[in-house]
């Protein structure tokens, strides 16, 4: 399990590194380099627009790679998605700026960002199923949290490299060629990830489906036709996690450097602190999920998000590094509580024959609803003087919607479900008509 979980974590870390390094570049340099004729605000919005295209591609990638995962195995998904995302990311580092090739520059960015999203859309489903379907029942939440640590590690790698370059290079050097180095580094990371995953075994549940001939012929059609309500609920439930994460890590980075005058290195350090603590919290919260259930942690995390968004924006507005870091840590701990159990929760909601498609599409649908729009909406709401309370209201509203979606989803933790089933049976014997909720 440790070897499998490490391979899953490494792969998600590398692919999310690829995805996040673009977000950081969009917040810091892509606007003036690829949209120079725009105003500073419009240039940032345009850069975040290309950032959002990656999220729109992710559900398509989930459908494509989910079909492969449900028809041909989880293992091919792990290799193909990593290769596609890595190649697209390296290519971004070679795209000439608007000054060199004109309109073709942002168009190329758009295409490569789409391919990044396509690959990442397949990565998550393959990685969590690798661990969840190998894991022992009572520790499924813990082992499935390893891929969930990957995004935090990827973010730390991406922004740590950007921070190092910001410290060692002048602003002119960083804008000229320094911003390209993290994209080129993705090629080395992708090769390392492919080497780690080369000997990964297929999961026992997929092998059982193959032996019994019960693989789905058209998994996406089966998911949409028979589980459309579950798909929409999981997408809505995860919208807050995406919205808050990218509000903290992408929008606040641009806002603090452009509107509050904070140094790029200082703001990057604040965000990195929050993500690092979130990474440490993820497996701890996953163990709590194995003990007390997935759903209670998701409900609690969304409720805390709704409460913390106004304090987060208030602390950000002070431009004091320590207070900004406290705001970021609080927000990321809230969503880390939700994300810690999602690697086990979403696969448990779907039958094995459609699990790779259903879990991945639901997860990435949340990215469209929460991640694609948040930097754009927040940047527009924050235009003007005074604290951007509109951003806080927006994020609070998304958290409330996600809280409602989680409230409509069932518990899936096997121990908790079994306990309720046993209680229902005992009540039936004593004449009490209390039924257990379905898993």
């Amino acid at each position: 399990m440790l070897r499998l979980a490490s391979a899953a974590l490494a792969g998600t870390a590398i692919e999310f590194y690829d995805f996040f390094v673009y977000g950081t570049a969009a917040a810091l340099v892509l606007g003036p380099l690829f949209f120079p004729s725009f105003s500073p605000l419009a240039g940032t919005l345009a850069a975040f627009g290309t950032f959002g295209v990656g999220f729109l591609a992710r559900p398509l990638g989930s459908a494509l790679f989910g079909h492969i995962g449900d028809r041909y195995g989880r293992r091919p998904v792990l290799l193909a998605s990593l290769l596609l995302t890595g190649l697209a990311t390296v290519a971004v580092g070679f795209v000439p700026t608007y000054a060199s090739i004109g309109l073709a520059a942002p168009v190329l960015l758009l295409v490569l960002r789409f391919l990044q999203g396509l690959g990442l859309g397949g990565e998550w489903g393959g990685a969590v199923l690798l661990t969840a379907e190998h894991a022992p029942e009572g520790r499924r939440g813990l082992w499935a949290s390893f891929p969930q640590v990957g995004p935090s590690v990827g973010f730390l790698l991406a922004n740590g490299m950007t921070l190092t370059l910001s410290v060692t290079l002048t602003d002119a050097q960083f804008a000229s060629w320094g911003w390209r180095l993290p994209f080129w580094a993705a090629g080395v990371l992708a090769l390392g990830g492919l080497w780690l995953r080369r000997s990964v075994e297929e999961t026992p549940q997929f092998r059982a489906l193959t032996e019994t001939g019960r693989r789905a012929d058209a998994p996406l059609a089966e998911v949409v036709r028979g589980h459309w309500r579950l798909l929409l609920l999981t997408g809505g439930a995860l919208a807050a996690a995406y919205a808050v994460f990218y509000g903290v890590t992408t929008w606040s980075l641009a806002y603090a450097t452009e509107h509050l005058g904070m140094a790029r290195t200082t703001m990057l350090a604040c965000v990195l602190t929050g993500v690092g603590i979130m990474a440490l919290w993820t497996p701890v919260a996953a163990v709590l999920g194995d003990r007390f259930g997935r759903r209670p942690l998701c409900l609690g995390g969304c409720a805390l998000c709704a409460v913390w968004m106004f304090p987060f924006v208030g602390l950000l507005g002070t431009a004091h590094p320590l207070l900004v870091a406290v705001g970021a840590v609080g927000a990321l701990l809230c969503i880390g509580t939700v994300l810690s159990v999602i690697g086990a929760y979403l696969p448990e909601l779907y039958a094995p024959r459609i699990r790779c498609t259903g879990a991945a599409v639901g997860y990435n649908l949340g990215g469209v609803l929460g991640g694609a729009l948040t930097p754009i909406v927040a940047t527009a709401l924050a235009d003007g003087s005074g604290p951007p309370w509109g951003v806080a209201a927006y994020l609070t509203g998304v958290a409330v919607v996600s809280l409602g979606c989680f409230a409509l989803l069932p518990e899936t933790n096997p121990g908790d479900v079994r306990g309720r089933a046993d209680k229902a049976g005992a009540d039936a014997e004593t004449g009490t008509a209390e039924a257990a909720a379905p898993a």
Side-chain angles (χ1 to χ4, degrees):
M1 279 308 307
L2 184 60
R3 181 177 60 84
L4 289 169
S6 298
L9 188 157
T12 54
I14 292 164
E15 291 214 45
F16 276 91
Y17 165 90
D18 296 349
F19 205 70
F20 290 146
V21 78
Y22 190 100
T24 304
L28 298 177
V29 296
L30 295 188
L33 291 177
F34 289 87
F35 305 96
S37 59
F38 290 18
S39 68
L41 174 63
T44 301
L45 286 171
F48 281 151
T50 62
F51 173 76
V53 166
F55 286 98
L56 296 178
R58 283 174 64 168
L60 298 177
S62 300
L64 171 63
F65 287 103
H67 180 87
I68 295 172
D70 285 325
R71 284 291 301 159
Y72 306 105
R74 322 311 193 196
R75 187 175 180 274
V77 172
L78 295 172
L79 300 174
S81 62
L82 181 57
L83 184 61
L84 174 60
T85 308
L87 289 174
T89 305
V90 172
V92 170
F94 288 99
V95 175
T97 63
Y98 187 93
S100 299
I101 60 172
L103 187 60
V107 171
L108 282 173
L109 271 188
L110 208 64
V111 171
L112 293 172
R113 181 60 174 173
F114 182 87
L115 292 176
Q116 268 193 327
L118 206 65
L120 192 62
E123 162 64 25
W124 185 85
V128 297
L129 291 191
L130 176 68
T131 52
E133 292 188 343
H134 274 103
E137 186 176 282
R139 288 289 180 266
R140 187 178 298 141
L142 172 62
W143 290 113
S145 73
F146 273 64
Q148 292 300 91
V149 177
S152 298
V153 174
F155 184 88
L156 292 171
L157 287 172
N159 286 269
M161 183 173 289
T162 304
L163 177 60
T164 301
L165 293 171
S166 296
V167 171
T168 56
L169 300 178
T170 65
D171 287 346
Q173 289 173 327
F174 185 80
S176 176
W177 53 266
W179 67 273
R180 298 181 183 274
L181 297 180
F183 290 94
W184 295 338
V188 179
L189 294 175
L191 289 175
L194 290 170
W195 182 82
L196 282 172
R197 289 183 167 184
R198 74 195 190 285
S199 59
V200 166
E201 299 175 358
E202 190 52 78
T203 69
Q205 292 189 24
F206 183 79
R207 289 200 302 267
L209 288 172
T210 301
E211 291 167 2
T212 57
R214 295 178 56 243
R215 289 176 296 173
D217 293 324
L220 180 61
E222 192 170 326
V223 168
V224 173
R225 184 173 58 249
H227 306 278
W228 60 269
R229 180 177 179 273
L230 178 59
L231 201 63
L232 293 177
L233 284 176
T234 52
L238 283 164
Y242 279 99
V244 174
F245 185 86
Y246 287 101
V248 173
T249 62
T250 301
W251 166 76
S252 71
L253 184 60
Y255 178 78
T257 54
E258 293 174 7
H259 289 262
L260 303 179
M262 290 185 68
R264 181 170 60 229
T265 54
T266 302
M267 190 58 197
L268 280 169
C270 292
V271 174
L272 285 171
T273 300
V275 175
I277 293 175
M278 174 184 164
L280 296 174
W281 169 243
T282 298
V284 176
V287 171
L288 296 177
D290 279 330
R291 176 67 180 84
F292 300 107
R294 328 293 190 207
R295 189 166 167 268
L297 267 74
C298 293
L299 291 170
C302 285
L304 290 171
C305 277
V307 171
W308 187 249
M309 289 303 96
F310 277 91
F312 161 68
V313 168
L315 292 168
L316 177 65
T318 66
H320 188 286
L322 179 60
L323 296 179
V324 172
V326 169
V329 168
L332 293 173
L333 282 177
C334 294
I335 63 162
T337 302
V338 176
L339 293 173
S340 65
V341 297
I342 286 300
Y345 193 21
L346 259 63
E348 289 170 346
L349 287 168
Y350 293 90
R353 59 186 275 113
I354 56 169
R355 180 172 288 162
C356 194
T357 300
V361 172
Y363 181 81
N364 288 293
L365 183 60
V368 175
L369 299 174
L373 295 177
T374 293
I376 300 171
V377 172
T379 299
L381 290 174
D383 185 34
S385 59
W389 298 120
V391 176
Y394 170 75
L395 294 175
T396 300
V398 176
V400 171
V401 170
S402 291
L403 181 65
C405 290
F406 274 122
L408 295 173
L409 289 171
E411 179 57 77
T412 63
N413 184 27
D416 185 71
V417 171
R418 189 184 306 109
R420 284 185 280 115
D422 292 343
K423 182 178 184 297
D427 290 340
E429 291 180 4
T430 58
T432 304
E434 181 181 336

